[in-house]
Amino acid sequence: MDIYQIIDQIHLQNLDNLDESIDGALFTDDHDALFQLGDTLLQYGLNPQGLKVFARLFELYPDEPDVMAYYIECLIDDNQHDKAIEVLHNTPLTVERLMLEADIYQQQDMLEVAIEKVKQAYMMSSEDPIISFALAELYYFDGQYLPAARSYEYLINNGIDRVNNVNIQSRIADCVLQSGDYEEAVEHYEKIDDKDMLSDDYFKMAISYQKADRIERSIQTLQTLLDKDPDYMQAYLLLVNLLESERKYNDAIIVGQKGLSLNEFYKELLVDTGRIMIKMHNEKGVEYLIQALTIDPSYVEASLLLADYYREEEAYEDLVKLFAYIDEEDLDPTVMWHLAYSYQQLEKDTEAKHFYAESYNVLKDNALFLTDYYNYAREIADVKLAEQLYALMLQIDPNADIDA
């Protein structure tokens, strides 16, 4: 079977005896056909066979950039990173070699080494926009936003606004946002055409407006985002918080409920929406908080809000019942304090003593906690404990009005 017949069989997904056919094709004199075979194998995800082909071609053409690039790609896909580096080190120092080395080091999360390789390539070919883009991307993903922005701006200044489907203006805006210059970030986002704005761009633009204290513009941007992409869940959470900050509580609740209709397991949105509902005396908010705690029993914010709510409402039995099914190791010390107080009110001294003692080490500098604990110690006539707590309370506030 000749090479073109093998290629046809691959397209038809007839892969019987493929390895045998590949082995027979490796020593053909038609090297162009062999290259096409290797490319076809990789297109169909047949990487082990593709590696065989390009290893053979690399033996024949070690100085051919395309052959080397494919061979190195195959070695990387086969997790032979050390072999790939060894092969490259034995080839002449070229831009292609440096860029391949950078790719390998990037995949190994050695971004600083990858950056140095691309810098070397840039010194050899500073006019190549792909190299400038690669350097910018490495800086960006390494969190070096200022040098990344400079590299992206070089591309913009040379009339290049998109590389590999990446919007360069969007990258610059994000770099400036991450660097903390929010007004400038807004300016860059406003330069992006609406048709080129992705959902992430709208969200980060909203954050830029928020950080720049332009809350109404941030709200408008999030509303635009949700009109275009109603499944962008993070936008619901931020919008709820912004509406709350503007005291638009009913609007915040409506947005939160709309988001939860799409994802009822979004615990952060459950908590924020539920908290605002409780603030507006809507007891359904308690159900949202309980749902969040059911999803994640260790979710501290939900447990704190519920503990505070039940104690304020003097619903001590409800508080005890809620946390009875949660592992003690998942309980925040403040929740334990409220549990202790609830058990105290229910005259269950064993549990009250336990939870006061468990929360003491963390909350011993909290005057309100110490007041509760001190009053309980007096209630159960534990004089020694009461004296100890009394002394601590005076250390915190020597002028405190405490019944001795």
Side-chain angles (χ1 to χ4, degrees), residues 228-241:
K228 293 176 178 291
D229 184 0
D231 293 324
Y232 199 100
M233 296 306 299
Q234 287 175 283
Y236 291 100
L237 184 63
L238 180 55
L239 184 52
V240 164
N241 285 300

Side-chain angles (χ1 to χ4, degrees), residues 250 253 257 270-271 273-291 305-306 309-310 312-315 318:
N250 289 327
I253 291 169
Q257 290 177 327
L270 282 164
V271 164
T273 306
R275 174 176 49 74
I276 298 169
M277 292 174 76
I278 290 172
K279 183 187 293 187
M280 299 300 292
H281 308 291
N282 184 340
E283 293 188 0
K284 187 173 176 59
V286 176
E287 297 177 18
Y288 283 14
L289 296 179
I290 292 173
Q291 186 176 342
L305 287 167
L306 284 165
Y309 172 79
Y310 283 129
E312 186 176 329
E313 295 293 315
E314 298 183 359
D318 289 336

Side-chain angles (χ1 to χ4, degrees), residues 186-312:
V186 165
E187 292 176 12
H188 283 289
Y189 278 115
E190 289 178 343
K191 290 179 182 178
I192 305 173
D193 290 337
D194 286 344
K195 63 181 177 59
D196 294 325
M197 288 281 284
L198 303 177
S199 294
D200 284 345
D201 294 324
Y202 280 111
F203 187 69
K204 291 176 180 179
M205 186 179 189
I207 292 174
S208 301
Y209 280 127
Q210 176 199 16
K211 297 291 187 181
D213 291 326
R214 297 166 66 178
I215 303 302
E216 280 301 323
R217 289 301 302 272
S218 183
I219 289 172
Q220 292 168 9
T221 303
L222 289 169
Q223 289 169 335
T224 298
L225 166 57
L226 290 174
D227 286 342
K228 293 176 178 291
D229 184 0
D231 293 324
Y232 199 100
M233 296 306 299
Q234 287 175 283
Y236 291 100
L237 184 63
L238 180 55
L239 184 52
V240 164
N241 285 300
L242 291 177
L243 290 168
E244 181 187 14
S245 73
E246 295 294 288
R247 299 185 179 183
K248 298 179 179 180
Y249 302 123
N250 289 327
D251 290 344
I253 291 169
I254 291 170
V255 170
Q257 290 177 327
K258 183 176 181 181
L260 291 170
S261 71
L262 298 172
N263 182 359
E264 61 183 318
F265 300 106
Y266 193 172
K267 64 181 185 181
E268 292 83 3
L269 190 57
L270 282 164
V271 164
D272 284 355
T273 306
R275 174 176 49 74
I276 298 169
M277 292 174 76
I278 290 172
K279 183 187 293 187
M280 299 300 292
H281 308 291
N282 184 340
E283 293 188 0
K284 187 173 176 59
V286 176
E287 297 177 18
Y288 283 14
L289 296 179
I290 292 173
Q291 186 176 342
L293 200 58
T294 302
I295 293 167
D296 181 2
S298 64
Y299 193 12
V300 172
E301 187 176 358
S303 62
L304 288 174
L305 287 167
L306 284 165
D308 287 343
Y309 172 79
Y310 283 129
R311 175 162 176 175
E312 186 176 329

Side-chain angles (χ1 to χ4, degrees), residues 127-190:
E127 295 182 359
D128 188 339
I130 295 298
I131 297 177
S132 296
F133 175 72
L135 184 58
E137 289 284 274
L138 285 170
Y139 279 135
Y140 177 76
F141 288 109
D142 195 40
Q144 299 186 50
Y145 297 112
L146 291 178
R150 287 194 293 269
S151 295
Y152 289 128
E153 285 168 353
Y154 172 82
L155 294 170
I156 291 287
N157 292 336
N158 283 274
I160 299 170
D161 58 9
R162 186 176 291 273
V163 178
N164 294 343
N165 208 32
V166 172
N167 187 310
I168 304 302
Q169 190 64 58
S170 171
R171 279 285 202 263
I172 294 173
D174 191 30
C175 287
V176 176
L177 169 61
Q178 300 300 334
S179 299
D181 192 338
Y182 307 121
E183 288 288 357
E184 186 180 345
V186 165
E187 292 176 12
H188 283 289
Y189 278 115
E190 289 178 343

Side-chain angles (χ1 to χ4, degrees), residues 4-138:
Y4 291 107
Q5 288 177 315
I6 298 173
I7 292 172
D8 288 340
Q9 291 301 306
I10 294 170
H11 286 307
L12 293 171
Q13 296 290 291
N14 294 330
L15 305 180
D16 294 340
N17 303 315
L18 177 62
D19 287 320
E20 182 180 334
S21 299
I22 297 298
D23 290 341
L26 291 178
F27 296 95
T28 179
D29 292 331
D30 191 346
H31 299 154
D32 288 337
L34 189 59
F35 187 98
Q36 186 176 339
L37 173 61
D39 186 43
T40 303
L41 289 164
L42 296 185
Q43 287 179 30
Y44 282 87
L46 300 167
N47 292 349
Q49 292 83 1
L51 176 57
K52 282 185 181 181
V53 170
F54 284 107
R56 172 58 180 161
L57 286 169
F58 186 72
E59 289 178 8
L60 297 169
Y61 302 100
D63 298 326
E64 176 58 47
D66 287 343
V67 170
M68 181 174 67
Y70 271 101
Y71 181 41
I72 296 301
E73 179 186 337
C74 290
L75 288 171
I76 293 172
D77 288 341
D78 200 45
N79 290 318
Q80 296 189 49
H81 296 99
D82 291 342
K83 173 68 173 177
I85 291 293
E86 178 187 343
V87 169
L88 289 170
H89 281 182
N90 291 320
T91 62
L93 186 63
T94 63
V95 169
E96 289 79 11
R97 169 188 151 176
L98 289 166
M99 295 300 287
L100 287 168
E101 287 177 332
D103 187 38
I104 295 169
Y105 288 120
Q106 181 182 7
Q107 292 192 38
Q108 293 179 313
D109 290 327
M110 299 171 66
L111 291 181
E112 290 185 7
V113 181
I115 287 170
E116 290 305 314
K117 294 294 180 181
V118 177
K119 280 183 178 179
Q120 285 182 262
Y122 181 80
M123 295 297 292
M124 297 173 66
S125 183
S126 60
E127 295 182 359
D128 188 339
I130 295 298
I131 297 177
S132 296
F133 175 72
L135 184 58
E137 289 284 274
L138 285 170

